[in-house]
Amino acid sequence: MSKILIKTPKEIERIRDCGALVAETLERSGEMCKAGVSTQEIDDFVKEFTLKNGAIPACLGYRGYPKSVCTSVNEVVTHGIPGTYVLKDGDIINVDITSILNGYHADTSATFFVGKPKPNASELVETSRQCLFEGIKACEKTGARFSDIGAIISGITEEHGFSVVRDYCGHGIGRAFHEDPLVLHYRQMLPGPRIEQGMVFTIEPMINEGSYKTRTLPDGWTAVTTDGKLSAQWEHTIAITPHGAEILTLPR
Ligand code: MF3
Ligand code: CO
Ligand code: CO
């Protein structure tokens, strides 16, 4: 049985405060994504900047995850672990940041180009970004259901001949990192629950250049495309308010 928590305006304010911090952390991390920079340097920055701002990196120690941020390069779909890898021109890298501030989580990610993007990479990255924003818009229609998010994202993705990852999804968020509901980014046969005021959740479509299939590396975390082709992702935490679907992970 899924139980979707309804947040008070005060709780949403807390998540918005944390959201502003993760948004700024993400923006600054994006500026670091240049050839010659290692993913460990991004992790060092995220950890230090988060702690300096009175927050906790939510990833660090989460179910045994060893670092403060996820850095997913090229064929890595999600949960790439920062380390010795050095970015090079032509790479794409998703940086995914989640922090805890005053007891509340906020979660956001973006995919950045290192140097000059290759044409296939820029179409993929732009499509995944569009999927996120159209997914957010779908939440604002009267009577919207969670299944509408996957329907719109699948449609956009198919127009480009790309595919939607099925093994990972968006999620409710608040006091916990991952809460109900699961937010699926692909088309479903049955209508999902209604999207209602006070719900706070992420939308985080992972779009693959080739097959939607993923596999996990022996480190237990890094998810890669089975065909070795590129994957891109964008993520925001959003709240359903009387004014619509508000993005909580924006810089102030
Ligand atoms: N931030 C990821 C998400 O969007 C989750 C990362 S969990 C970690 O849900 F343990 F890998 F950090
Ligand atoms: Co995330
Ligand atoms: Co998330």
Side-chain angles (χ1 to χ4, degrees):
M1 233 312 258
S2 109
K3 182 80 194 94
I4 305 175
L5 296 174
I6 299 299
K7 271 83 176 180
T8 63
K10 262 252 130 10
E11 287 183 286
I12 292 175
E13 210 173 288
R14 294 255 185 103
I15 302 169
R16 191 187 292 110
D17 288 342
C18 187
L21 175 62
V22 290
E24 187 179 351
T25 314
L26 180 64
E27 209 169 77
R28 291 177 182 233
S29 301
E31 286 162 11
M32 292 178 70
C33 294
K34 301 265 154 59
V37 174
S38 72
T39 50
Q40 182 58 53
E41 289 174 69
I42 299 169
D43 189 71
D44 292 341
F45 163 74
V46 168
K47 186 176 183 180
E48 196 197 295
F49 189 75
T50 302
L51 294 171
K52 197 177 82 188
N53 283 280
I56 300 163
C59 296
L60 190 59
Y62 178 78
R63 299 188 178 191
Y65 186 79
K67 299 285 176 169
S68 297
V69 62
C70 297
T71 50
S72 301
V73 178
N74 296 337
E75 76 284 1
V76 178
V77 175
T78 191
H79 301 164
I81 304 174
T84 55
Y85 182 79
V86 174
L87 295 173
K88 57 177 189 337
D89 269 339
D91 282 348
I92 59 171
I93 175 175
N94 173 274
V95 180
D96 191 343
I97 296 170
T98 313
S99 296
I100 313 167
L101 183 64
N102 300 318
Y104 286 85
H105 293 71
D107 187 3
T108 187
S109 85
T111 299
F112 302 102
F113 300 111
V114 180
K116 195 170 134 47
K118 298 177 178 151
N120 58 330
S122 60
E123 184 184 350
L124 182 70
V125 170
E126 188 39 52
T127 301
S128 58
R129 188 172 183 280
Q130 192 193 347
C131 284
L132 168 58
F133 285 96
E134 292 301 322
I136 294 170
K137 272 195 215 155
C139 299
E140 299 200 310
K141 285 185 317 196
T142 32
R145 294 176 180 273
F146 280 97
S147 45
D148 298 336
I149 298 171
I152 188 86
I153 290 174
S154 296
I156 295 165
T157 301
E158 285 158 11
E159 279 173 35
H160 290 268
F162 297 142
S163 68
V164 182
V165 169
R166 309 171 74 101
D167 296 334
Y168 300 90
C169 46
H171 49 91
I173 184 167
R175 284 202 167 273
F177 195 156
H178 295 104
E179 299 178 354
D180 282 331
L182 291 177
V183 179
L184 306 183
H185 304 112
Y186 54 91
R187 200 179 283 109
Q188 295 138 71
M189 298 298 290
L190 298 172
R194 293 239 195 226
I195 297 175
E196 281 162 24
Q197 267 185 45
M199 291 181 175
V200 178
F201 53 89
T202 73
I203 302 180
E204 50 182 298
M206 283 143 275
I207 306 301
N208 290 357
E209 189 185 10
S211 164
Y212 66 86
K213 290 191 178 140
T214 76
R215 80 187 159 84
T216 308
L217 297 187
D219 63 24
W221 284 101
T222 312
V224 297
T225 58
T226 54
D227 58 13
K229 293 188 177 178
L230 297 175
S231 183
Q233 177 180 25
W234 291 74
E235 173 175 25
H236 273 308
T237 297
I238 72 163
I240 306 304
T241 76
H243 315 288
E246 181 191 339
I247 300 175
L248 299 179
T249 37
L250 291 177
R252 282 215 259 260

